[in-house]
Amino acid sequence: NAGVTQTPKFRVLKTGQSMTLLCAQDMNHEYMYWYRQDPGMGLRLIHYSVGEGTTAKGEVPDGYNVSRLKKQNFLLGLESAAPSQTSVYFCASSPQGLATPHQETQYFGPGTRLLVL
Amino acid sequence: RKEVEQDPGPFNVPEGATVAFNCTYSNSASQSFFWYRQDCRKEPKLLMSVYSSGNEDGRFTAQLNRASQYISLLIRDSKLSDSATYLCVVNTNTGGFKTIFGAGTRLFVKA
């Protein structure tokens, strides 16, 4: 099992450009998450998905969109990148996704470093 | 006030030392608690869940104090390989799923 993988590993964008970050998991997990991590701050939840075809907003959703067309993939889109979106982006997944998502271990991908100039 | 607060450190300890980290949380409705470990430029990985009764995994002991709204992590007999950032995570499913990560406590174990 590859676990959780993220593409790309690193990207530089100019302000206003768009891009999509891809997250894939091969563990048949129900829940998937997108976080950003900035210096001096904890990981902040951007969006999450409780199953194929569903998405929900997290703590900092503005400026991002997501899609979960297939169970194994969770895409994070930046329509018009801004310097404030320079960050490290982590995707995660968790297995059960029933009534107790808050009790579940999250498995993280290796991260994508994004620099917006 | 942050919802989850940790002392950022760094904690610099010699090998073999015992070190303890605390994490406080503000939402009394919080339901689940975890410690994750994050190595430099790597992804977070689960270290252990934290239960009300306390739990131990080898050299690591986690405790939860709901009345005072804090969790702790104790590392005994520190190893060089314990050097990392330790993240406190607090989850709730009341009024919708919410997961809050602390900013982390950095630990350096030196020979």
Side-chain angles (χ1 to χ4, degrees), chain B residues 52-81:
Chain B
S52 296
S53 56
N55 48 306
E56 186 174 311
D57 183 2
R59 298 181 293 108
F60 299 85
T61 300
Q63 295 276 355
L64 165 64
N65 185 319
R66 285 190 183 272
S68 301
Q69 294 181 205
Y70 76 84
I71 67 173
S72 63
L73 178 67
L74 181 77
I75 305 175
R76 291 181 298 277
D77 188 23
S78 299
K79 311 292 184 190
L80 294 176
S81 57

Side-chain angles (χ1 to χ4, degrees), chain A residues 18-88:
Chain A
S18 63
M19 78 164 294
T20 300
L21 282 67
L22 171 64
C23 176
Q25 53 95 2
D26 60 2
M27 299 175 283
N28 201 35
H29 284 179
E30 288 291 338
Y31 275 48
M32 296 187 74
Y33 316 81
W34 274 108
Y35 293 89
R36 59 177 290 172
Q37 185 174 35
D38 301 294
M41 303 184 73
L43 278 80
R44 292 181 292 169
L45 185 64
I46 303 170
H47 286 279
Y48 66 100
S49 168
V50 303
E52 182 178 317
T54 73
T55 62
K57 293 180 180 180
E59 182 185 355
V60 288
D62 295 340
Y64 305 95
N65 57 75
V66 288
S67 64
R68 183 105 180 263
L69 299 179
K70 293 183 178 180
K71 185 177 182 179
Q72 63 268 33
N73 296 336
F74 195 29
L75 305 179
L76 178 71
L78 285 73
E79 290 185 350
S80 179
S84 60
Q85 294 178 304
T86 293
S87 188
V88 180

Side-chain angles (χ1 to χ4, degrees), chain B residues 11-86:
Chain B
F11 285 65
N12 293 288
V13 302
E15 271 188 295
T18 295
V19 61
F21 309 135
N22 280 341
C23 167
T24 58
Y25 60 95
S26 60
N27 184 357
S28 59
S30 298
Q31 295 163 294
S32 302
F33 309 88
F34 307 86
W35 283 103
Y36 279 72
R37 171 196 169 123
Q38 186 173 25
D39 293 297
C40 188
R41 301 178 75 84
K42 297 287 188 181
E43 71 273 22
K45 292 183 179 178
L46 179 70
L47 180 65
M48 56 199 308
S49 302
V50 188
Y51 304 115
S52 296
S53 56
N55 48 306
E56 186 174 311
D57 183 2
R59 298 181 293 108
F60 299 85
T61 300
Q63 295 276 355
L64 165 64
N65 185 319
R66 285 190 183 272
S68 301
Q69 294 181 205
Y70 76 84
I71 67 173
S72 63
L73 178 67
L74 181 77
I75 305 175
R76 291 181 298 277
D77 188 23
S78 299
K79 311 292 184 190
L80 294 176
S81 57
D82 293 334
S83 297
T85 296
Y86 291 83

